Amino acid sequence: SADASPAAGMTAEILDDYEEGTFDADLVVGGGSITRGSNYTCSYTKIGRVVTVSGFIDVASASATAHFNINGFPFAVDNNTDGHSSSSNAITFHGRNATTAGVYTGYMAPNASVCAIVFHNGSTYQTDWADEIAAGAYWHFTFTYRVS
């Protein structure tokens, strides 16, 4: 049960900062164009300073180059200067125009509400791979990150 008197070292133990909702994420590339499809849904839950976002985004058309970002997260990442990771993520992508197998990961910079998606082919990270996104592609993602 909740107790208004905190334990030693705690400032409070009653949950007073909880929020959930939806948001419109957008796909952004470094060059060319990419259009989000009509099948997308993104939601978030914020508990204290921790936000978890999850979503599904499909691609209607793509003629993209350079880097690829998912923009429009509901809160910016904290200004983390202690060298520790401020976010963790899970990404599934279907519809790539290439045969190279690999893993996708995201990077959320401090003070930003955008996630850069990078591709790792087993030996190197690639940030400029947006030309491999095809129309009809889709993303499932979950990110958990700290906010100020």
Side-chain angles (χ1 to χ4, degrees):
S1 70
D3 183 354
S5 58
M10 292 177 58
T11 56
E13 67 179 65
I14 296 178
L15 178 64
D16 64 353
D17 187 6
Y18 178 88
E19 180 180 338
E20 59 184 40
T22 61
F23 66 99
D24 289 334
D26 212 0
L27 308 177
V28 177
V29 293
S33 65
I34 190 167
T35 304
R36 181 182 65 201
S38 59
N39 295 319
Y40 68 93
T41 180
C42 300
S43 61
Y44 70 90
T45 302
K46 179 180 180 283
I47 302 173
R49 294 185 54 220
V50 177
V51 177
T52 298
V53 298
S54 60
F56 171 86
I57 303 175
D58 67 333
V59 175
S61 65
S63 176
T65 61
H67 64 270
F68 173 74
N69 294 339
I70 299 176
N71 287 13
F73 288 91
F75 303 94
V77 173
D78 68 349
N79 186 17
N80 180 13
T81 58
D82 62 7
H84 294 89
S85 175
S86 290
S87 66
S88 64
N89 58 78
I91 303 169
T92 304
F93 173 53
H94 302 275
R96 191 164 178 247
N97 280 334
T99 57
T100 305
V103 175
Y104 297 91
T105 190
Y107 172 73
M108 298 181 74
N111 296 319
S113 58
V114 57
C115 182
I117 307 298
V118 294
F119 173 71
H120 192 272
N121 65 9
S123 60
T124 60
Y125 284 99
Q126 300 173 350
T127 57
D128 293 339
W129 62 273
D131 58 326
E132 299 174 5
I133 301 173
Y138 58 94
W139 296 89
H140 290 273
F141 61 89
T142 300
F143 295 92
T144 299
Y145 60 99
R146 293 185 308 190
V147 298
S148 296

